[in-house]
Amino acid sequence: MKYTVLRAVAVSSAATLAVLPRAAGVAQAPAEIVAAAPRSAWTPIPADSLLVMDLAPNRAGKKRQIVIQLMPAPFAAGHIVNIKALARSHWWDGTSVNRVQDNYVVQWGDATEKKALPKDLVRVADSEYVVAAGALPADAGPGAPSGKGATAAASIAGTITPAAPDGWHDRDSYAPWVAVHAGWPIASDRNSVWPVHCYGMVGVGRDLSPDTGTGAELYVVIGQAPRQLDRNIALVGRVIAGIEHLSALPRGTGALGFYKTAAERTPIRSVRLASEIPAAARPRFEYLSDHSVEFARYVAARANRKDAFYARPAGAIDICNIVPPVRVVAN
């Protein structure tokens, strides 16, 4: 029954879109919608959810800083506990970026595999790769639009087909249902829910199952979304700033993109939680709320580009192409 209700809301959403502000004569581009979004449409990211990684400066002496937003509850809860413990103990200081595989991942941690880990790390079961659908709010779970009310349903207008009556939510190749929850792309089989491997997502390196990794070895996706990894490995966050300092590194010379020699590795100077950095120097970010009308317009515009550059709107979109925009907040 709930899917029938959603289709009814979605079909009527064209009228909702029609009353939203548009540039005279030409549809607004997604970037224009984001730029015009009011302050009320943005949600701050808590400092204790930001991991700040400083690499050694590049050859020109330029600072290289990467900021990772950690996954919110209920996802990857055990691994997030470990990652925060590793950051607070400064465990990553003096480790390195050890692997850069083209169109796949960049990985970092202790290349020697001999550095002692903090004693309070928890063992995480692979059952934590997914959470029960009922663990999410009613408006974010399977069968619900990606935000609240008819304005959020506007985001699927124009992507509905006989094969995908719920629009972009059920056009995914890897899952029956996709959505955006609290700023994160998620997928579902309508019983369980899990985060998905999009560009910039950060996961936990592991050995063969049932090992799930400690969180000490992390990787970031730098290529086409490897969605086959979904539910097979823990996702714990995403890079929201400085990914160019990782994606542009020289590719590894060994198997799977691992560097063969220590000289090839990029040293990590420090990794800190933003909450541990003095307030004046602390990076601050916010994301475009997926419950805002601006996000609905942003998704609709990306799925049906009608601005000056596009002659043929796609009428479809991939979940990894609608990850909510993030912006820096000035101190």
Side-chain angles (χ1 to χ4, degrees):
M1 177 62 72
K2 59 187 177 182
Y3 305 119
T4 303
V5 171
L6 175 62
R7 287 195 289 271
V9 172
V11 170
S12 66
S13 63
T16 305
L17 281 176
V19 301
L20 298 174
R22 298 293 181 93
V26 179
Q28 284 184 296
E32 294 173 321
I33 294 170
V34 173
R39 178 67 188 83
S40 59
W42 296 86
T43 300
I45 300 174
D48 65 353
S49 293
L50 294 177
L51 204 60
V52 182
M53 179 165 68
D54 285 306
L55 305 181
N58 64 14
R59 292 182 179 179
K62 185 177 180 180
K63 180 179 180 179
R64 292 186 287 184
Q65 186 173 88
I66 298 99
V67 181
I68 297 167
Q69 180 187 5
L70 296 176
M71 195 84 69
F75 298 108
H79 280 111
I80 297 299
V81 168
N82 285 353
I83 287 169
K84 289 185 175 183
L86 288 157
R88 292 190 182 103
S89 69
H90 303 173
W91 186 86
W92 280 291
D93 296 11
T95 61
S96 59
V97 176
N98 307 319
R99 177 189 182 192
V100 182
Q101 187 170 357
D102 192 48
N103 196 32
Y104 197 37
V105 299
V106 174
Q107 187 168 324
W108 61 92
D110 174 31
T112 70
E113 298 184 343
K114 296 179 180 179
K115 188 171 185 177
L117 293 167
K119 295 180 180 179
D120 56 349
L121 298 188
V122 300
R123 186 182 298 274
V124 183
D126 56 12
S127 58
E128 287 199 22
Y129 294 161
V130 303
V131 299
L136 299 186
D139 70 311
S146 60
K148 294 180 178 178
T151 51
S155 67
I156 69 172
T159 68
I160 296 171
T161 68
D166 290 325
W168 66 264
H169 285 286
D170 58 5
R171 295 182 66 115
D172 191 66
S173 297
Y174 289 85
W177 183 264
V178 288
V180 177
H181 167 61
W184 296 86
I186 60 173
S188 175
D189 59 8
R190 293 185 167 88
N191 293 311
S192 56
V193 183
W194 57 90
V196 301
H197 277 79
C198 297
Y199 182 86
M201 293 292 284
V202 174
V204 176
R206 67 167 175 85
D207 205 336
L208 295 179
S209 182
D211 179 70
T212 63
T214 62
E217 287 284 329
L218 298 176
Y219 66 86
V220 61
V221 176
I222 61 163
Q224 184 171 341
R227 295 285 306 281
Q228 74 278 4
L229 295 177
D230 294 355
R231 295 182 288 177
N232 286 294
I233 201 163
L235 281 172
V236 293
R238 59 178 172 175
V239 174
I240 60 173
I243 195 168
E244 67 276 10
H245 300 311
L246 296 171
S247 62
L249 289 173
R251 275 34 185 168
T253 53
L256 302 176
F258 282 95
Y259 292 125
K260 289 182 178 179
T261 66
E264 296 174 279
R265 300 172 190 142
T266 300
I268 296 174
R269 290 282 181 87
S270 69
V271 177
R272 299 287 186 273
L273 288 167
S275 55
E276 295 184 299
I277 297 173
R282 184 181 301 165
R284 291 176 170 83
F285 294 85
E286 56 189 8
Y287 69 90
L288 185 64
S289 172
D290 45 285
H291 284 171
S292 68
V293 71
E294 288 75 21
F295 179 73
R297 292 184 58 213
Y298 170 76
V299 175
R302 296 208 70 174
N304 297 281
R305 294 292 295 261
K306 297 179 182 178
D307 48 275
F309 186 81
Y310 284 81
R312 297 185 179 183
I317 198 162
D318 182 86
I319 181 63
C320 288
N321 286 327
I322 54 172
V323 176
V326 175
R327 69 181 186 184
V328 177
V329 179
N331 287 329

